[in-house]
Amino acid sequence: MTEFSVKSTIISRYAFTTVSCRMLNRASEDQDAEFLMHIPASAFITNFTMLVGDKVFQGEITEREKENGDKVKEKRNKTAEDNGEKGPDAFRASAVIPSKGKAVFLLSYEELLHRRLGKYEHVVSVRPQQLVGRLTVEVNILERAGLSSLEVLPPQDTRQRHGGRAEDDTGPPPSTVINQNETFAKVLFKPSVVQQAKIAQNGILGDFIVRYDVNRAQSIGDVQVLDGYFVHYFAPRDLPPLPKNVVFVLDSSASMVGAKLRQTKDALFTILHDLRPQDRFSIIGFSNRIKVWKDHLVAVTPDSIRDGKVYIHHMSPTGGTDINGALQTAIRLLSSYVARNDIEERSVSLVVFLTDGKPTVGETSTARILNNTKAATRGRVCVFTIGIGDDVDFRLLEKLSLENCGLTRRVREEADAGAQLVGFYDEIRTPLLSDIRIGYPPGLVQQATRTFFPNYFNGSEIVIAGKLVDRQLDRLRVEVTASNSKKFVVLKTDVPVEPQRAGGPGPEDNGTAGPNPLERLWSYLTVRELLSSWLQSGDGREKERLRQQAQALAVNSRFLTPFTRMRLKKAPGTRQPQRADAVDVSAATGPGTAVQSPPPGPALEKPHDPRIKVSRTSADGDPHFVVDFPTSGLTVCFNVDGQPGDILRLVSDHAGSGVTVNGQLVGAPAPPGGHKKQRTYFQTITILVTKPARSYLEVTPRRVILDGEDRRVLPCNQSAVAGSRGLELSVSANANVTVTIQGTIAFVILMHLYKKPAAYQRDHLGFYIASGGGLSGSCHGLLGQFLNQEARLTGAPARLSPSSTGPPPPQAGGASAATLQVAGHQVPVVWKQRRIYNGEEQVDCWFARSAGQLLDGAYEDYLAAHPFDADTVLGLGRPRGPAVVALT
């Protein structure tokens, strides 16, 4: 990849984004190439163009045949999961690039930015999966109302963060330049290759996030008009909060065991402390039984909060999942409280419902659960749902929220459920208005989007768009009615209409001026609402009418939706391609979640694997050791047959650089038919650094623990970067951990993981020395003792020079043999081939059958007493029996 650039232009909260990716095939043969881009779940793809060699494929949005919808949706989602991209937002395309040829991938998408907790957030995925020579992210923001705040966050994974309070927002990443005035801002992120590597050496930098808000002058909101279209942004503030009646419904079935339930409990502890004195609440835990804390809503007092926390603390996971019973009980509690109490104050009734599964107990029919819930709420109770993990019935939760004036949120399996629950609750914790109706003169406005909203929460925003009948209108009458606390609020204002100039950067119309951003925004909102209505509708005739309306507008607006598809067609004037003229790009989704899918064209046989090629000097596998001697050009290999539980000293330089590396072995039975009874692998690699300060690092196939100034635990299935006192590490998800010490020493620890391991397979690690320049001349250990040594080969075959690394000539008597001279030892060696880097590279090396002749000590001399044992004196390992040394 020679270039990866993203340019976003945001006009009045509506974002146009274009991604450009350029690739070059330097190989002497054709190569498969893949373009992968994560897009926001709420965005619509509007165009995709692929240039391969001298062929151009242009995207065309067309209608999708009705009968294919469900089948395609199931197939596409399965494909995305099989490719390791969990989640609805991965767009991928692949093509064959000719030898020495180039390819360009151009992707465009649009979205309306949603206001949460008082800020708009624009997220750009920067995951090229390799370091790129030219990487650029440019975000331009134009807001007529004026910018009140602007911040750029460090790269992070919003798919796992998504709203937690304790965010490490330490400022923009290096090389970010921000220019702004009152109404315009330009943010440019242009990191060099070195700066990219400091964030993530595998090219998965994460999400580049720009947050901002705008000035708000009128209580009735901001109305903007352009070429016959208007948009009304309504976000009142400084209002007293409405009291809320809330029932927290928590799944305590057996599948919630472990971190999910523990994190959720911690989150509820935090949420209970945030309840206001005027609020009322209760708690329900459900599995196959419905367990109610109190059979009525209780006032918020220190005693009730304490009792609620005790009840939550004692919840234990067991049984199945009775979703219908839990919802009915929660709604009954709320309805009974409102009916029994003569409440003068207006209040909002909410159910916050969390589960990780599907209905398995009681009523299990999705349709009946939806009908029962809608009949019980009667439009007076809003249901907010949170689905955890991959097994949850997210479509059911989505419909429950859509049909009952709520919102839904998905929490990924590997994410912190508690942090996301708190973040989700923060968005709804402060209701300011209820029953909001926004009206415009019927004769002046037509085809307006939704104008009734059950609730308005502090920090959010209501957006309405429509068409003006009279384009010359200079004032627009706006009327807002709503309930707030004890008052019935009515706002009526004639809003001045100021004409604006068009010029958005979206899909061009006939190659002339850019589109009207307010027209695009109206089309976006209208299609979104039609898709939501289609999802909620249970009437077949009504459902078909909504489908046809959404499809027609999506085709006209060039939005890739569940009812449209994209065909990649060969542009006129280009050479006939070797494959089909057109391929399909489909949006595999139900309304509201916008899962975007790739063209099924030339597919990669193997996904890109961002492993780092480093020095061959390593200890990997059974374990097999490889040592590179750069000066002589020799590569030597040997084996060590260890015992399960033994801790081997790999690098011992405690007195010199202050670095010690140890590896602990785990046992496994040998494969059938092998000559060995058992195998051993590295289960844990530990690194101790004592200079300039003490830091401890422990790596297993599942997690990385860094203990220095503070303790950090990083899962290995997530990419991350951390550092402490001169030690920096980068975790490439399920691939490797790169450790850099003082900038002069670098190690790479490979992860060998098995999805379905055989009896003789174990998840294990491989240890590679990428750079040992900072290690001292007194360095020792199974690998360390060779780092500052010279090696020479004698007695090699006549046609093989002592420094040659090429394959030796065949010998009549069998393998080529020679004598290796290193560190005063004379060791018989034979030529051998060995695979390293997870089998990706074959090494030709001189193999020492007897490692005891090659090493400075016996096996027990290289045993450490504990994982962070830094004692480097030979013979001080724990007592052992006879040495077991490299006899394979």
Side-chain angles (χ1 to χ4, degrees):
M1 189 179 297
T2 59
E3 182 179 348
F4 180 85
S5 64
V6 183
K7 183 175 182 179
S8 293
T9 301
I10 303 169
I11 303 175
S12 299
R13 290 76 142 177
Y14 193 73
F16 302 85
T17 301
T18 299
V19 184
S20 173
C21 175
R22 297 177 183 272
M23 296 188 185
L24 170 64
N25 178 14
R26 294 188 174 93
S28 57
E29 57 186 17
D30 295 355
Q31 295 282 341
D32 287 317
E34 182 183 56
F35 167 69
L36 171 65
M37 184 67 187
H38 293 273
I39 69 168
S42 60
F44 287 138
I45 288 177
T46 55
N47 190 33
F48 177 67
T49 301
M50 187 164 61
L51 296 83
V52 182
D54 56 359
K55 298 186 283 288
V56 179
F57 296 91
Q58 294 177 334
E60 178 187 11
I61 302 287
T62 61
E63 295 182 355
R64 171 187 290 283
E65 294 79 1
K66 176 185 172 185
E67 61 273 15
N68 290 344
D70 291 339
K71 185 182 296 183
V72 170
K73 174 188 66 182
E74 180 182 352
K75 176 183 176 184
R76 298 288 187 186
N77 281 336
K78 186 172 186 297
T79 302
E81 290 177 1
D82 286 349
N83 285 337
E85 297 300 335
K86 295 180 182 178
D89 53 356
F91 177 93
R92 66 174 73 232
S94 55
V96 176
I97 304 179
S99 171
K100 312 301 181 184
K102 299 178 181 179
V104 181
F105 301 91
L106 300 170
L107 176 70
S108 299
Y109 60 86
E110 300 175 14
E111 62 174 323
L112 175 65
L113 302 185
H114 297 285
R115 189 168 183 257
R116 293 190 175 101
L117 303 177
K119 297 289 176 76
Y120 304 100
E121 190 170 272
H122 182 57
V123 180
V124 174
S125 174
V126 187
R127 295 174 171 86
Q129 302 187 80
Q130 56 181 280
L131 302 179
V132 184
R134 294 190 299 276
L135 190 151
T136 306
V137 178
E138 180 181 331
V139 179
N140 298 289
I141 304 171
L142 178 62
E143 292 288 353
R144 190 190 70 170
L147 297 168
S148 63
S149 66
L150 175 71
E151 59 181 326
V152 180
L153 277 58
Q156 52 193 278
D157 193 345
T158 55
R159 293 175 297 169
Q160 296 166 21
R161 177 183 60 88
H162 219 318
R165 292 181 182 179
E167 297 173 5
D168 184 22
D169 300 344
T170 56
S175 80
T176 302
V177 178
I178 303 173
N179 293 306
Q180 72 177 104
N181 56 30
E182 186 179 345
T183 60
F184 176 78
K186 178 178 179 178
V187 179
L188 183 63
F189 175 53
K190 197 173 182 180
S192 65
V193 172
V194 173
Q195 290 169 327
Q196 294 171 47
K198 288 182 178 180
I199 299 172
Q201 294 192 5
N202 60 3
I204 303 178
L205 278 64
D207 293 314
F208 184 78
I209 304 167
V210 178
R211 277 198 196 137
Y212 74 95
D213 200 15
V214 300
N215 297 316
R216 302 177 195 280
Q218 299 191 57
S219 59
I220 204 163
D222 177 24
V223 178
Q224 300 182 21
V225 174
L226 178 60
D227 292 344
Y229 288 84
F230 80 91
V231 61
H232 182 190
Y233 300 102
F234 181 58
R237 55 184 181 178
D238 301 326
L239 297 172
L242 283 167
K244 61 180 178 290
N245 316 310
V246 58
V247 178
F248 300 100
V249 185
L250 172 62
D251 186 344
S252 60
S253 62
S255 59
M256 286 287 289
V257 67
K260 284 189 284 191
L261 186 59
R262 183 179 65 255
Q263 291 168 357
T264 303
K265 287 181 178 182
D266 292 341
L268 282 176
F269 293 161
T270 301
I271 290 170
L272 291 182
H273 280 293
D274 276 348
L275 293 173
R276 295 183 174 86
Q278 65 265 37
D279 296 338
R280 300 291 185 273
F281 78 103
S282 189
I283 304 162
I284 294 175
F286 74 97
S287 53
N288 54 324
R289 295 190 306 119
I290 313 300
K291 293 155 279 189
V292 182
W293 171 51
K294 302 285 186 183
D295 60 0
H296 59 279
L297 268 63
V298 300
V300 175
T301 66
D303 289 344
S304 64
I305 296 298
R306 183 195 63 228
D307 293 346
K309 290 173 68 176
V310 170
Y311 177 77
I312 293 168
H313 175 74
H314 286 103
M315 281 186 181
S316 58
T318 181
T321 309
D322 187 358
I323 289 178
N324 183 73
L327 285 170
Q328 292 298 307
T329 304
I331 297 166
R332 193 160 50 246
L333 280 177
L334 290 165
S335 300
S336 298
Y337 173 76
V338 173
R340 283 201 311 266
N341 293 272
D342 184 16
I343 305 173
E344 292 184 6
E345 291 187 329
R346 300 179 184 276
S347 61
V348 173
S349 296
L350 312 173
V351 173
V352 178
F353 182 88
L354 183 146
T355 183
D356 73 334
K358 304 176 177 68
T360 60
V361 176
E363 181 58 73
T364 58
S365 165
T366 296
R368 284 195 285 270
I369 292 173
L370 291 169
N371 290 336
N372 294 344
T373 304
K374 195 170 185 177
T377 61
R378 293 179 294 172
R380 299 175 184 175
V381 176
C382 295
V383 179
F384 295 82
T385 59
I386 302 163
I388 302 177
D390 301 329
D391 297 327
V392 70
D393 188 345
F394 189 70
R395 180 57 58 84
L396 170 60
L397 299 185
E398 187 179 39
K399 284 188 175 183
L400 282 169
S401 293
L402 280 173
E403 293 181 1
N404 299 283
C405 62
L407 300 170
T408 190
R409 187 65 49 80
R410 187 170 205 156
V411 179
R412 304 197 181 280
E413 192 75 49
E414 66 276 8
D416 185 337
Q420 297 202 33
L421 173 56
V422 171
F424 184 49
Y425 174 77
D426 280 347
E427 295 179 30
I428 62 174
R429 67 192 291 261
T430 310
L432 298 182
L433 295 172
S434 63
D435 300 328
I436 306 109
R437 296 180 186 274
I438 301 178
Y440 311 94
L444 299 179
V445 169
Q446 62 184 6
Q447 297 185 42
T449 57
R450 184 162 65 112
T451 56
F452 172 74
F453 303 86
N455 298 299
Y456 167 74
F457 296 97
N458 188 39
S460 64
E461 184 174 61
I462 290 172
V463 183
I464 305 103
K467 298 181 180 180
L468 294 177
V469 175
D470 181 5
R471 292 195 174 202
Q472 306 304 317
L473 195 69
D474 59 353
R475 302 186 74 82
L476 178 64
R477 182 75 169 174
V478 180
E479 180 176 314
V480 178
T481 62
S483 298
N484 167 247
S485 191
K486 297 181 180 180
K487 303 176 185 177
F488 188 73
V489 180
V490 179
L491 301 173
K492 296 182 181 180
T493 306
D494 287 331
V495 179
V497 172
E498 298 178 10
Q500 294 176 243
R501 291 182 302 168
E508 295 188 353
D509 298 319
N510 300 322
T512 58
N516 178 348
L518 300 193
E519 179 183 359
R520 300 296 296 175
L521 192 156
W522 171 82
S523 301
Y524 173 94
L525 276 180
T526 303
V527 170
R528 277 265 164 241
E529 291 179 4
L530 287 169
L531 293 175
S532 295
S533 299
W534 176 86
L535 184 63
Q536 296 177 58
S537 176
D539 181 83
R541 207 173 274 180
E542 173 72 4
K543 211 172 178 73
E544 176 60 17
R545 183 185 67 82
L546 292 167
R547 187 192 71 82
Q548 291 179 4
Q549 284 185 329
Q551 185 180 69
L553 183 55
V555 170
N556 186 61
S557 304
R558 285 165 290 183
F559 289 149
L560 188 59
T561 72
F563 305 137
T564 55
R565 65 176 182 175
M566 180 182 289
R567 289 184 63 81
L568 287 180
K569 303 186 71 174
K570 182 172 67 72
T574 62
R575 251 180 30 188
Q576 181 73 17
Q578 296 177 0
R579 302 179 186 239
D581 277 6
V583 293
D584 289 342
V585 181
S586 306
T589 178
T593 54
V595 181
Q596 309 294 342
S597 299
L604 281 177
E605 295 180 5
K606 182 178 178 182
H608 173 68
D609 189 1
R611 300 202 185 280
I612 302 167
K613 293 296 186 286
V614 295
S615 162
R616 297 173 176 179
T617 301
S618 59
D620 206 342
D622 189 11
H624 302 319
F625 289 76
V626 177
V627 180
D628 242 354
F629 293 94
T631 304
S632 61
L634 292 173
T635 301
V636 177
C637 48
F638 61 95
N639 296 345
V640 170
D641 288 345
Q643 297 298 315
D646 282 354
I647 302 171
L648 304 184
R649 303 180 190 276
L650 302 178
V651 176
S652 299
D653 197 27
H654 179 67
S657 62
V659 174
T660 300
V661 182
N662 297 327
Q664 185 165 14
L665 298 173
V666 63
H675 66 281
K676 301 174 68 174
K677 293 184 178 180
Q678 73 167 5
R679 289 183 168 188
T680 51
Y681 303 94
F682 286 115
Q683 181 184 42
T684 306
I685 300 292
T686 53
I687 301 176
L688 169 65
V689 180
T690 60
K691 297 178 182 180
R694 212 168 184 86
S695 295
Y696 300 86
L697 180 67
E698 178 182 300
V699 181
T700 72
R702 298 295 169 210
R703 67 179 185 179
V704 178
I705 301 175
L706 176 60
D707 213 338
E709 294 172 309
D710 52 14
R711 181 180 174 88
R712 294 195 62 182
V713 181
L714 307 173
C716 288
N717 61 358
Q718 301 174 27
S719 295
V721 179
S724 173
R725 301 172 174 177
L727 186 152
E728 297 181 1
L729 66 90
S730 171
V731 181
S732 174
N734 294 326
N736 59 60
V737 178
T738 303
V739 183
T740 306
I741 302 166
Q742 298 296 317
T744 60
I745 303 169
F747 304 131
V748 175
I749 301 169
L750 291 191
M751 303 172 201
H752 303 275
L753 306 175
Y754 300 93
K755 288 185 178 179
K756 296 181 180 179
Y760 54 86
Q761 292 175 324
R762 297 288 185 271
D763 288 347
H764 63 281
L765 305 173
F767 175 73
Y768 291 75
I769 298 178
S771 173
L775 296 169
S776 73
S778 60
C779 182
H780 210 269
L782 286 168
L783 286 175
Q785 63 184 293
F786 300 109
L787 296 181
N788 296 291
Q789 299 291 336
E790 297 295 334
R792 192 161 63 92
L793 202 65
T794 61
R799 284 182 288 161
L800 185 67
S801 66
S803 62
S804 174
T805 56
Q811 300 295 299
S816 300
T819 300
L820 179 74
Q821 296 181 4
V822 59
H825 302 291
Q826 302 240 2
V827 186
V829 290
V830 295
W831 192 268
K832 188 167 184 167
Q833 291 183 325
R834 174 159 285 175
R835 289 194 171 273
I836 57 174
Y837 306 136
N838 253 342
E840 294 176 8
E841 182 171 326
Q842 183 170 285
V843 175
D844 295 320
C845 64
W846 291 100
F847 176 64
R849 295 185 184 275
S850 174
Q853 295 178 275
L854 181 66
L855 301 173
D856 275 348
Y859 175 82
E860 59 266 28
D861 295 324
Y862 294 95
L863 295 178
H866 56 81
F868 292 102
D869 182 9
D871 190 347
T872 59
V873 180
L874 290 180
L876 293 185
R878 56 191 170 99
R880 299 284 306 181
V884 184
V885 181
L887 300 175
T888 60

